[in-house]
Amino acid sequence: MQLKKYFALLSLTLSLTLLLSCNSSPKEDQSTGMTTTETTKLKIAVIPKGSTHSFWKSIHAGAAKAAQEKGVEIIWQGPQKEDDRQMQIQVVQNFISRGVDGIVLAPLDDRSLATPVSSAVKRNIPVVIIDSGLQSEEYSSFVATDNKQGGKLCAKRLAELLNGKGKVIMLRYQEGSASTAEREAGFLEGMKEYGPTIELISTNQYAGATMEKAFQASQNLLNRFAEVDGIYCPNESSTQGMLRALQTSGRAKKVKFVGFDSNDALIAGINNGEIHGLAVQNPFKMGYEGVLTVVAVLKKEPYEKKVDTGVMLVTGENINTPEVKELLNPDLAKWLNE
């Protein structure tokens, strides 16, 4: 009798185990061909170049909005400073090991990040590149500003401010950054249209990855070149570093100054006449479109191989227009829970 009870209990246990196993087994979504459980969300790693500049906070907010709309989870992680290549490589490798579903990456070096991206793709983890290019063809899509066009807009603005003549400095950002290299190339191409009447007196100095380094590099340039009529900087930290150097040297407002990107200090510079033009990207849209695109890749939906997120030249003349206000003041707190 005891033996019968034992086998009856064993049979019931096996039946329950089999039932639970069947209920928790992966199900295939017929519309996408993807295999997942009912409770599993797609996990998307979003990896910026750095985490200190306001530009990356806007990208984070845009990515968070897309994640909420699509019902996916984003994991935001990147190096603190934009010169830490090894840290960004390690972050990508860690996400590959964790088995995330997709990666949205802003590579801070166009060469050294190519190998980690290749590793991800070989593990069937699609990668969407945002902000800055990569020397690879293995990524699914490139979502970014037309950086060369942004550089040309800045050249046109500065040339107009100088009435087509004068001595000009271009302070570069840092080697390996494809986005700023494009902006620098666009600026130099734009300046060629004005011929010998505009003299480029320095174009080979680099600001470095932080505002403090940019400030030091800017001070060195201003000390070296007593006579300068116009200056161009290709990103947020270099522009802010140069603004501070112009202010401390007493040359703000006297030198025509055009930069790239925006934050509170740079907008204040526009408003008080110390900055005469800013090429402003749409980082919120960049983060948003980056996540939407990688989700489309995962769900086998149509997507674009290249997405231009736009660039606008902001000046003292147009800064109070509705279009510019909307671009400069996205509601980041709503999406970042700040």
Side-chain angles (χ1 to χ4, degrees):
M1 193 67 179
Q2 293 296 328
L3 191 59
K4 287 183 179 180
K5 287 183 179 180
Y6 170 76
F7 281 114
L9 182 60
L10 180 60
S11 177
L12 179 61
T13 302
L14 289 172
S15 297
L16 287 172
T17 301
L18 182 60
L19 180 61
L20 289 171
S21 176
C22 290
N23 285 342
S24 62
S25 63
K27 296 183 178 181
E28 183 174 296
D29 186 332
Q30 297 300 320
S31 66
T32 65
M34 297 173 62
T35 301
T36 182
T37 63
E38 290 181 335
T39 58
T40 299
K41 282 186 175 182
L42 290 174
K43 289 182 171 58
I44 311 299
V46 184
I47 308 170
K49 289 182 180 180
S51 55
T52 56
H53 299 160
S54 60
F55 181 85
W56 302 115
K57 293 180 181 179
S58 291
I59 283 186
H60 189 183
K65 180 185 179 185
Q68 185 179 107
E69 289 181 0
K70 290 298 181 179
V72 302
E73 178 185 348
I74 63 164
I75 311 167
W76 174 268
Q77 186 181 350
Q80 185 175 8
K81 295 194 298 181
E82 294 182 28
D83 59 357
D84 199 340
R85 292 170 176 81
Q86 285 306 120
M87 176 57 74
Q88 193 180 50
I89 289 170
Q90 184 178 330
V91 169
V92 176
Q93 291 171 337
N94 287 345
F95 278 126
I96 293 171
S97 298
R98 289 170 61 177
V100 295
D101 296 292
I103 293 174
V104 176
L105 170 68
L108 58 78
D109 188 289
D110 60 349
R111 292 184 179 181
S112 62
L113 272 298
T115 298
V117 166
S118 179
S119 298
V121 173
K122 287 174 182 175
R123 294 279 294 272
N124 294 317
I125 301 173
V127 180
V128 169
I129 299 298
I130 62 170
D131 178 60
S132 194
L134 188 72
Q135 293 193 25
S136 167
E137 295 297 325
E138 295 192 70
Y139 56 83
S140 298
S141 181
F142 182 39
V143 178
T145 305
D146 185 338
N147 287 297
K148 183 167 281 190
Q149 178 61 25
K152 288 181 177 180
L153 284 175
C154 291
K156 183 175 184 293
R157 173 66 174 172
L158 192 56
E160 290 172 348
L161 290 165
L162 295 173
N163 294 315
K165 58 184 178 180
K167 299 179 185 293
V168 170
I169 288 172
M170 179 181 75
L171 177 61
R172 295 178 182 269
Y173 173 50
Q174 70 172 355
E175 293 183 272
S177 171
S179 58
T180 50
E182 287 286 301
R183 296 168 201 171
E184 293 153 9
F187 179 80
L188 293 176
E189 285 184 21
M191 277 297 172
K192 284 181 182 178
E193 298 178 11
Y194 299 93
T197 54
I198 289 184
E199 181 185 359
L200 293 164
I201 58 176
S202 177
T203 62
N204 62 358
Q205 298 301 299
Y206 288 86
T210 66
M211 195 273 284
E212 196 59 39
K213 287 182 179 179
F215 172 56
Q216 294 169 5
S218 299
Q219 282 187 312
N220 292 338
L221 279 171
L222 293 177
N223 290 334
R224 181 179 168 191
F225 297 101
E227 293 184 13
V228 57
D229 303 297
I231 295 174
Y232 167 65
C233 294
N235 83 316
E236 180 182 343
S237 56
S238 61
T239 302
Q240 189 168 348
M242 179 61 76
L243 173 62
R244 184 177 159 197
L246 286 167
Q247 290 169 336
T248 57
S249 68
R251 297 162 79 175
K253 297 185 181 181
K254 299 175 184 177
V255 176
K256 302 301 182 185
F257 181 29
V258 176
F260 223 102
D261 292 330
S262 67
N263 61 28
D264 290 344
L266 301 185
I267 297 306
I270 287 274
N271 285 322
N272 63 27
E274 295 176 331
I275 297 177
H276 304 91
L278 287 172
V280 177
Q281 306 177 80
N282 194 333
F284 187 91
K285 184 177 181 182
M286 204 178 294
Y288 180 77
E289 294 289 346
V291 171
L292 289 187
T293 302
V294 79
V295 171
V297 175
L298 286 163
K299 292 186 174 182
K300 297 180 173 58
E301 297 172 350
Y303 65 91
E304 298 293 329
K305 183 68 178 177
K306 189 170 184 178
V307 179
D308 181 359
T309 52
V311 61
M312 179 186 297
L313 190 73
V314 176
T315 68
E317 292 76 32
N318 69 6
I319 195 167
N320 291 315
T321 62
E323 185 179 14
V324 172
K325 284 183 175 180
E326 182 179 355
L327 178 64
L328 295 178
N329 299 292
D331 188 359
L332 305 187
K334 177 180 178 182
W335 304 107
L336 298 180
N337 299 316
E338 294 180 345

